[in-house]
Amino acid sequence: MFLKFHADRIFTGDAMLHDAVLITTPDGVVQDIVAPGEAGDGVEHHGGIITPGHINCHCHLELSHMKGMIAEGTGLPRFLASVMKAPAADTSAKLQAMTTVASEMHAGGIQAVGDISNHTLSLQPKIQSAIHWYNFLEISNLDDNKASFKLAMFDKMRREFLRYFPSTVLSPHAIYSVSPETFRLLNQYTADHTITIHNQECKAEDELFQYGTGDFLPFYQAIERPVLPITVSGKSSLQTWLPWFNQQQRLLLVHNTCTREDDLVFALDYAAQAGLELYFCLCPGANWYIERKLPPIEMLMQYNCHIVLGTDSYASNRQLSLVAEAALLKQQFPGIADDVLLRWMTSNGAQALGMEAQLGSFTKGTRPGVVRVDDDFSNAQRLL
């Protein structure tokens, strides 16, 4: 017995088909896509678009308990300070929030998540979840002399994650929170891995490395680092940190809100020379929440960049729905075609996380999940 899903449009992960029927096994293994006249009996009819399960390439599940706690529009340095100073929640409240949010994301059509972890607390909610998890164990360390210790500590945590999740890697937080020696060691440690980094989320990030000035200086003082801990390079943050990597990594650059054309040209040229693969992860809901700004999407598209989508966390977003992120982009950039947005949400994301063999498309034999999306991207409903 097979399940048969009909819709006005079916997005396969690569192409948009009109008036077609998707056929799967009861547990979701894709068998075929056929014309309605070839499907036989027992077809479920749906409006909107049927898509593979969505791939959320950037999330902080650990911050699920912080919904509504941080003011909007403060700018990144003040946002970071607010997160660090937020009242502590007890462990049971954090675990319950993570469990609830993981279920919410899955019900909303998210099949896999690239998640930032700073400790092991998220392990149990993830083990219980139906979502596929790619765990980025995020290192922040401003002291070169502590770099080896930090990597050893996070490598121990990685071994705990690996008991349940083979897709677990160490990753740097951001250029403003990682010392040169930490970057050097991470480059060697992550050869041939998929890793992630927060990139150019605000203007102050570039100003810090170009001139040694800006809104990050009060942030450093607030965390008792009165002396600038990282050398001013005279270059943008992206042009400062990217050359630390040269070991065939696949890099997910997250946010890119203030990336300029010269940064993009530099990054693409350097990646080609160094054997790196770059994916640009956009989290428009979080960018608007924190900075009241959206990334240069049309420029990224002009340069044929690999684009994927993320939600960030409830500390910086009102919702954790990938279709809502796409709806925001559809509203602000109406020229972006539906199939392009859906590709960013599905097959591109699966490729970025190295999960394309099973997720992100309706390729025969895969089990990507089945989701119905409204034509205007206002809602998503999991069908399987």
Side-chain angles (χ1 to χ4, degrees):
M1 179 179 177
F2 295 113
L3 301 180
K4 302 172 183 180
F5 304 93
H6 171 266
D8 297 332
R9 294 188 287 171
I10 291 180
F11 181 71
T12 67
D14 178 60
M16 190 76 81
L17 305 182
H18 295 264
D19 194 24
V21 177
L22 169 70
I23 302 175
T24 76
T25 63
D27 63 348
V29 178
V30 175
Q31 299 299 297
D32 206 351
I33 299 178
V34 300
E38 301 173 12
D41 299 329
V43 177
E44 296 180 19
H45 298 278
H46 298 275
I49 314 166
I50 287 178
T51 77
H54 306 156
I55 314 297
N56 180 357
C57 284
H58 183 73
C59 186
H60 296 254
L61 189 68
E62 292 171 353
L63 302 181
S64 295
H65 64 287
M66 297 190 72
K67 187 175 184 178
M69 290 178 59
I70 308 297
E72 298 185 30
T74 64
L76 183 64
R78 291 178 180 84
F79 170 82
L80 292 171
S82 296
V83 171
M84 295 173 70
K85 294 177 181 178
D90 63 50
T91 298
S92 62
K94 290 182 178 180
L95 288 170
Q96 182 58 56
M98 285 189 278
T99 300
T100 299
V101 168
S103 296
E104 173 191 311
M105 285 196 289
H106 186 260
I110 290 175
Q111 197 77 7
V113 175
D115 190 61
I116 303 294
S117 296
N118 299 106
H119 45 69
T120 59
L121 191 60
S122 67
L123 263 176
Q124 196 58 43
K126 288 174 177 174
I127 292 168
Q128 296 171 348
S129 168
I131 286 174
H132 298 259
W133 298 94
Y134 194 111
N135 300 290
F136 298 106
L137 306 188
E138 180 184 77
I139 294 181
S140 296
N141 175 52
L142 290 168
D143 296 309
D144 274 349
N145 60 359
K146 295 181 180 178
S148 294
F149 169 78
K150 275 279 189 175
L151 259 72
M153 182 177 71
F154 272 79
D155 188 54
K156 180 180 179 180
M157 184 166 69
R158 179 174 178 262
R159 290 195 293 272
E160 293 185 57
F161 271 82
L162 286 173
R163 293 171 58 193
Y164 308 97
F165 302 106
S167 297
T168 301
V169 298
L170 306 190
S171 287
H173 169 244
I175 176 64
Y176 54 80
S177 61
V178 175
S179 76
E181 177 64 7
T182 310
F183 269 124
R184 189 189 71 79
L185 292 176
L186 277 171
N187 176 52
Q188 299 301 319
Y189 190 88
T190 62
D192 302 312
H193 282 71
T194 298
I195 62 173
T196 193
I197 184 171
H198 295 75
N199 179 64
Q200 293 179 304
E201 196 171 350
C202 65
K203 289 184 178 179
E205 184 178 323
D206 281 336
E207 186 179 353
L208 178 67
F209 294 98
Q210 287 177 307
Y211 310 111
T213 59
D215 287 344
F216 265 105
L217 297 186
F219 167 73
Y220 284 130
Q221 291 170 354
I223 61 173
E224 300 181 350
R225 300 292 302 234
V227 178
L228 184 65
I230 302 171
T231 303
V232 175
S233 65
K235 302 175 183 178
S236 72
S237 66
L238 175 56
Q239 296 186 42
T240 302
W241 70 258
L242 185 58
W244 282 112
F245 293 97
N246 57 17
Q247 297 296 315
Q248 288 74 55
Q249 292 94 341
R250 176 182 291 165
L251 286 160
L252 275 69
L253 283 64
V254 179
H255 295 304
N256 316 294
T257 322
C258 297
T259 301
R260 305 186 310 261
E261 187 170 11
D262 63 314
D263 293 321
L264 197 55
V265 171
F266 169 85
L268 295 175
D269 287 347
Y270 177 80
Q273 296 171 18
L276 305 176
E277 189 175 353
L278 303 184
Y279 283 80
F280 294 83
C281 182
L282 310 181
C283 304
N287 300 151
W288 192 255
Y289 191 106
I290 297 172
E291 290 285 331
R292 291 293 189 257
K293 185 178 176 64
L294 294 177
I297 293 170
E298 292 166 324
M299 182 182 74
L300 294 171
M301 294 177 66
Q302 178 185 348
Y303 278 86
N304 296 315
C305 295
H306 300 303
I307 297 174
V308 299
L309 299 184
T311 63
D312 218 320
S313 76
Y314 264 134
S316 60
N317 209 335
R318 296 178 180 180
Q319 49 71 36
L320 300 187
S321 160
L322 222 59
V323 75
E325 300 295 324
L328 176 57
L329 295 179
K330 190 175 177 68
Q331 178 185 33
Q332 297 296 319
F333 303 92
I336 304 178
D338 289 352
D339 63 325
V340 172
L341 288 170
L342 291 169
R343 189 172 294 111
W344 297 351
M345 294 166 60
T346 59
S347 54
N348 276 18
Q351 290 165 10
L353 298 182
M355 297 179 174
E356 67 272 24
Q358 279 297 316
L359 305 181
S361 74
F362 288 138
T363 303
K364 184 175 181 179
T366 64
R367 192 168 175 261
V370 181
V371 178
R372 188 198 65 80
V373 173
D374 286 354
D375 286 315
D376 61 358
F377 286 63
S378 60
N379 186 51
Q381 171 193 6
R382 178 172 290 280
L383 302 178
L384 189 63

